Amino acid sequence: MLASIDWPHEYLPGTTDNFCSNEVIVQDLPVRAVWDALIHPLLWPDYYANSSDIELPAGETGNMLHMGCVFRFKTFGFPIDAEVIQFEEPGDGRVGRLAWHGWAEGDKDHRLDVVHAWLIESLPENRTRILTQESQIGKPARELAKQLPNPMINGHRRGWTASCSL
């Protein structure tokens, strides 16, 4: 059975204003390579064009995410403040888990709260499963959910097309 994302209750899919899920299973792309690309946010624009203006706290060593790390970036036109809420490195049969709570400040019409989660899983025959899901709360999320095609799903998919060549 494949692993699943561990959600904070408030962001449980099906109970929020918008939810998107993207999954890819690739061969000959090591779990560690995917993990290393994810935890180095300054690399994100190299394979995910929808990320920019990434800022890590002053004094951070190695420019890597870690549990409790607070950082900023832009995505889908939103300036996002974020905090890493789950950080479990893959290895020895363990699934890699990375999640952050992100928010765009604003009044009730502009505030956006999200949890973006990643699951990186080693599969038999030298395959890697990459699952990324995002659960969103707020009026901007409700508006995104109505758009067809869904910009969140398609934006994340474009990023994975590029990242599979890491």
Side-chain angles (χ1 to χ4, degrees), residues 2 16 24 26 34 39 44-45 53-54 62-63 65 68 83-84 87-88 118-119 135 137 140 145-146 151 161:
L2 296 175
T16 59
V24 65
V26 295
V34 175
I39 66 170
W44 294 351
D53 300 326
I54 297 156
N63 294 320
L65 298 179
E83 179 179 4
V84 175
F87 190 96
E88 298 174 18
W118 298 86
L119 188 141
S135 194
I137 299 170
K146 294 176 190 174
T161 300

Side-chain angles (χ1 to χ4, degrees), residues 26-40 43-44 47 62 64-66 87-98 119-123 126-130 160 163 165-166:
V26 295
Q27 195 166 32
D28 300 325
L29 179 60
V31 167
R32 191 74 217 182
V34 175
W35 181 259
D36 287 346
L38 288 176
I39 66 170
H40 288 87
L43 299 178
W44 294 351
Y47 63 88
M64 293 185 300
L65 298 179
H66 54 82
F87 190 96
E88 298 174 18
E89 290 194 45
D92 297 328
R94 285 187 327 272
V95 172
R97 295 178 183 276
L98 176 64
L119 188 141
I120 313 301
E121 184 174 15
S122 182
L123 300 175
N126 203 30
R127 297 175 303 144
T128 297
R129 176 181 179 228
I130 306 164
W160 280 117
S163 70
S165 62
L166 289 173

Side-chain angles (χ1 to χ4, degrees), residues 37-164:
L38 288 176
I39 66 170
H40 288 87
L42 297 177
L43 299 178
W44 294 351
D46 292 346
Y47 63 88
Y48 183 56
N50 210 15
S51 62
S52 66
D53 300 326
I54 297 156
E55 299 174 26
L56 292 164
E60 285 293 319
T61 57
N63 294 320
M64 293 185 300
L65 298 179
H66 54 82
M67 187 65 183
C69 179
V70 176
F71 63 105
R72 299 189 70 172
F73 66 106
K74 279 189 180 175
T75 187
F76 292 95
F78 292 99
I80 301 293
D81 292 297
E83 179 179 4
V84 175
I85 60 171
Q86 187 173 37
F87 190 96
E88 298 174 18
E89 290 194 45
D92 297 328
R94 285 187 327 272
V95 172
R97 295 178 183 276
L98 176 64
W100 56 82
H101 169 230
W103 59 94
E105 294 292 348
D107 60 24
K108 67 178 181 134
D109 288 334
H110 298 95
R111 171 92 181 175
L112 177 66
D113 275 285
V114 306
V115 168
H116 192 114
W118 298 86
L119 188 141
I120 313 301
E121 184 174 15
S122 182
L123 300 175
E125 299 186 35
N126 203 30
R127 297 175 303 144
T128 297
R129 176 181 179 228
I130 306 164
L131 174 65
T132 183
Q133 296 182 331
E134 185 166 305
S135 194
Q136 307 172 333
I137 299 170
K139 185 175 180 184
R142 288 189 297 278
E143 292 170 359
L144 282 170
K146 294 176 190 174
Q147 294 180 29
L148 293 176
N150 185 304
M152 297 299 297
I153 291 173
N154 289 335
H156 291 160
R157 183 175 294 134
R158 278 191 299 276
W160 280 117
T161 300
S163 70
C164 288

